[in-house]
Amino acid sequence: MLKSLHRGKTGCFECCIKCLGGIPYASLIATILLYAGVALFCGCGHEALSGTVNILQTYFEMTRSAGDVIDAFTLIDIFKYVIYGVAAAFFVYGILLMVEGFFTTGAIKDLYGDFKITTCGRCVSAWFIMLTYIFMLAWLGVTAFTSLPVYMYFNLWTICRNATVVDGANLCLDLRQYGIVTIGEEKKVCTSSESFIKMCDSNELNMTFHLFIVALAGAGAAVIAMVHYLMVLSANWAYVKDACRMQKYEDIKSKEEQELHDIHSTRSKERLNAYT
């Protein structure tokens, strides 16, 4: 009875070790980094865009254009919908990459025995490598684009800081410099105006600025995750390629052994018949 319990505990322990060995830790780390980066970018970016709308309406006295005119508010709404799509798409893509890591890790072979490397499996691995490379380039563009509002808010934050340090300084921020409004519109605030003082004293400006910084950091983390995924997928591709070669070698070897066995059996039968 004690021996059977000891064997059961040993078998459970070995099973747990095999299960832990079957986890693709490299893909798991990349997936966690991707989800963290996308969550920071989407969550903080969405709130930062909402804060930008409030700042433009409250302190710059901007209003939404009537009709189908594409203004700054319409572009902000479009960016919000893009954020929704990015969050959903990369949630699914992270799961797909994690599943691909499970099915290409070497520990799966120990758990379920030898598996057949098909042409479809090699094509799927190559497709993921190409798709991940494209997404990496896309996230590089997103990171560069996210740095623009960070730069704009940094200039605004610098003007507020200089206005409090230097007495009598008349500094202005014109939205036409950043292409937010057309040349014909004049939407600017100066240090001498009451709205500028209220904006600098409000927590909304500081919060929106830091939200954009965190969103930029999230986009950078997504880029790092894509690079990590490329390394993992390339290693998996090399593993699949080597496994395919080994599989062909084993097939040829077993075929030759079978032929030798058949030849040996035939000669043994011929000798037995000749003897009888």
Side-chain angles (χ1 to χ4, degrees):
M1 184 67 179
L2 293 176
K3 290 182 178 180
S4 62
L5 290 175
H6 178 71
R7 290 178 181 176
K9 291 181 180 179
T10 303
C12 182
F13 177 76
E14 292 177 353
C15 182
C16 292
I17 293 298
K18 287 184 178 181
C19 290
L20 292 176
I23 298 175
Y25 291 100
S27 297
L28 180 62
I29 293 173
T31 303
I32 294 174
L33 185 60
L34 176 64
Y35 282 168
V38 172
L40 288 176
F41 172 77
C42 294
C44 296
H46 183 274
E47 293 301 318
L49 290 175
S50 299
T52 301
V53 171
N54 294 332
I55 290 174
L56 292 177
Q57 291 177 340
T58 304
Y59 304 108
F60 289 89
E61 298 179 355
M62 290 183 61
T63 57
R64 291 181 178 270
S65 300
D68 297 332
V69 179
I70 298 178
D71 55 359
F73 298 105
T74 305
L75 291 176
I76 290 175
D77 292 337
I78 293 174
F79 292 151
K80 286 183 178 181
Y81 286 114
V82 170
I83 285 175
Y84 301 150
V86 167
F90 278 92
F91 176 77
V92 176
Y93 190 67
I95 294 176
L96 292 177
L97 288 176
M98 192 66 188
V99 171
E100 195 273 344
F102 269 107
F103 280 99
T104 53
T105 184
I108 295 298
K109 184 176 180 180
D110 297 332
L111 287 172
Y112 299 103
D114 292 338
F115 57 91
K116 295 293 183 182
I117 304 297
T118 61
T119 304
C120 180
R122 296 195 298 271
C123 291
V124 168
S125 298
W127 172 256
F128 272 121
I129 292 175
M130 182 186 69
L131 199 59
T132 304
Y133 182 75
I134 294 174
F135 283 150
M136 184 197 69
L137 295 179
W139 274 108
L140 283 174
V142 170
T143 304
F145 183 78
T146 310
S147 63
L148 295 179
V150 173
Y151 172 73
M152 294 168 56
Y153 273 96
F154 177 75
N155 287 341
L156 182 57
W157 178 77
T158 304
I159 292 175
C160 290
R161 185 179 179 183
N162 292 335
T164 56
V165 173
V166 181
D167 294 334
N170 188 16
L171 304 175
C172 297
L173 179 69
D174 195 343
L175 295 182
R176 291 177 295 182
Q177 297 175 346
Y178 305 101
I180 298 177
V181 296
T182 59
I183 300 298
E185 299 181 67
E186 185 177 351
K187 296 293 182 181
K188 66 179 181 179
V189 291
C190 298
T191 56
S192 58
S193 63
E194 185 179 355
S195 60
F196 183 86
I197 297 174
K198 289 181 179 180
M199 180 180 62
C200 292
D201 292 337
S202 65
N203 293 326
E204 192 172 19
L205 176 63
N206 191 38
M207 179 63 68
T208 305
F209 176 43
H210 286 87
L211 284 174
F212 271 120
I213 293 177
V214 177
L216 178 61
V223 173
I224 297 174
M226 290 291 103
V227 175
H228 196 164
Y229 267 128
L230 279 177
M231 294 188 294
V232 173
L233 291 171
S234 299
N236 290 341
W237 166 254
Y239 166 74
V240 170
K241 191 175 181 180
D242 292 340
C244 182
R245 292 178 178 176
M246 184 61 67
Q247 177 182 311
K248 290 180 180 179
Y249 172 76
E250 292 293 337
D251 292 340
I252 294 173
K253 183 179 178 181
S254 61
K255 185 177 180 181
E256 291 179 351
E257 289 177 353
Q258 184 65 34
E259 290 177 354
L260 291 175
H261 178 72
D262 293 340
I263 293 173
H264 181 72
S265 298
T266 303
R267 289 182 178 178
S268 298
K269 290 180 181 179
E270 290 177 353
R271 292 176 182 176
L272 182 61
N273 292 332
Y275 179 75
T276 55

